[in-house]
Amino acid sequence: MQVISLKNYFFEKILIILIPFSAIFSIFLLDFLLVLVSISFIIRSIKSREYFYYLNKFFIIFLLFYFYIILRYFFRDHEYESFNSVFFYFRYGLYAISINYFLIKIDNLEKSFLRSVLLAILLLITDGLIQFAFGKNIIGYETIDGNRLSSFFGDESILGSYLLKFLPFLYLIIIKNIDNKKIFLFLFILIALCDLIIFLSGERSSFILSIFLTVYFIIMLKNFRIIRIFLFSLTTLIIIFIYFNSDNMSKRYSKTVTELIKSENHTNNLILDKSLINTKFYIISPTHHNYFLTALNMYKDNKFFGQGPKSFRYLCDDRRFKINKYSCSTHPHNYYIQILAELGLIGFIFLMIFYLYICYKILIIIVSKEIKNNSYMICILSFFLINLWPLTSTGNFFNNWISILIYLPFSFFLISPKK
């Protein structure tokens, strides 16, 4: 396949390189950059008659999912949201194949993109450590709730989520520089610092998933096992030290455990439905428990088709679905439960089958013992394993920032067989 001259496609390369930084500083800019990349892709692919980029399995399945969302919106039982908010969901799949197109066409684009990711993560870690040491980051943003790091994200608690979603790219850089000992060691230290900053961000789900990601790579990438275990152990000791020397931090993470267990205070204040009084354990927390049960009530009302995309925030206060006065939020805080409530079993099947497919691919690699030859694929599969992990609290599945970062790895997934 012909490689495009960088001189002729410098604009597209710059747009793609800026993605990791725009995801930090401006969701509007991130979306705008990807729109420009997509427009360029459409024009160039049509001009060169390369229609096969639209016919790969990923994009076909994505379009089926997209058309189902549109149909479910039109046949909804309630008035909510504007059509535009649902109609433009197609852009996420288009973003993925557009970036994939330029990754294939432009020489060294992947290398440049990975460097951009490395610099963005290095910037966040440096700024996060400054914020931890002085209470403010380099532009004056203070810590959240006294000691939770947020860096350039300000009042938004997504620093840990950002680092977690981009962390597999660092492993991808490692396998591409496995013979360079200096880069090899530097990147592992950077990964360890990512673990530390994710912990200090106070995002409990991101921290738990970062541990899970570490275990995944220790199992899958045997060549890196010793040094990863050593640095992970060292980071764990630092985290334990900070945990026992920070009252606010210890209270926050201790609360994660105590909220799982029913107490009289929780029963009196949160659980108003008498049928729930005998509950011994909460799902994540009493608040999440309410969201999940409310969403499941919505699912039970229409098991096959759900209540319609983005409907939870509008229907969570409906007396048919709500558990109590704490039932409402913008989303149920779990992708799978949200899909069940809003898109029913049909929408759930799309998501669940894909996740099972990812697990199957990982299992095949382990059983075949061809780990060394599949190191690129191992890194790419980790994106989906973490981003779509079902047993944790999550953001809104239809959130713009989250959707972009969920679909971005597909660009690399589509070229992984060639790697």
Side-chain angles (χ1 to χ4, degrees), residues 150-167:
S150 62
S151 186
F152 297 105
F153 295 103
D155 294 333
E156 295 185 88
S157 298
I158 56 175
L159 171 61
S161 180
Y162 178 98
L163 291 175
L164 179 70
K165 285 176 167 54
F166 279 90
L167 198 52

Side-chain angles (χ1 to χ4, degrees), residues 12 85 90 116 230 293:
E12 287 83 355
S85 66
F90 76 87
S116 179
F230 171 75
L293 291 177

Side-chain angles (χ1 to χ4, degrees), residues 266-274 276 282 286-287 289-291 293-294 297 316-319 321-328:
H266 289 152
T267 300
N268 293 333
N269 296 332
L270 291 178
I271 306 300
L272 304 183
D273 188 326
K274 292 182 179 180
L276 298 177
Y282 294 119
T287 305
H289 197 90
N290 288 328
Y291 298 154
L293 291 177
T294 301
N297 283 341
C316 56
D317 200 36
D318 190 304
R319 59 186 177 83
F321 309 129
K322 75 176 189 177
I323 301 299
N324 53 52
K325 64 180 180 179
Y326 299 98
S327 290
C328 264

Side-chain angles (χ1 to χ4, degrees), residues 3 13 19 31 33 48 69-70 100 104 106 111 115 130 145 173 181 199 219 310 315 318 346 350 414 419:
V3 174
K13 183 171 184 177
I19 288 174
D31 217 354
L33 292 178
S48 58
I69 292 174
I70 295 297
N100 172 250
I104 293 173
I106 303 177
K111 184 177 181 179
R115 284 178 178 174
I130 291 172
D145 298 332
I173 298 172
K181 294 182 179 179
F199 170 78
I219 294 172
K310 300 186 177 184
L315 301 179
D318 190 304
I346 295 178
F350 280 96
L414 293 173
K419 297 290 182 178

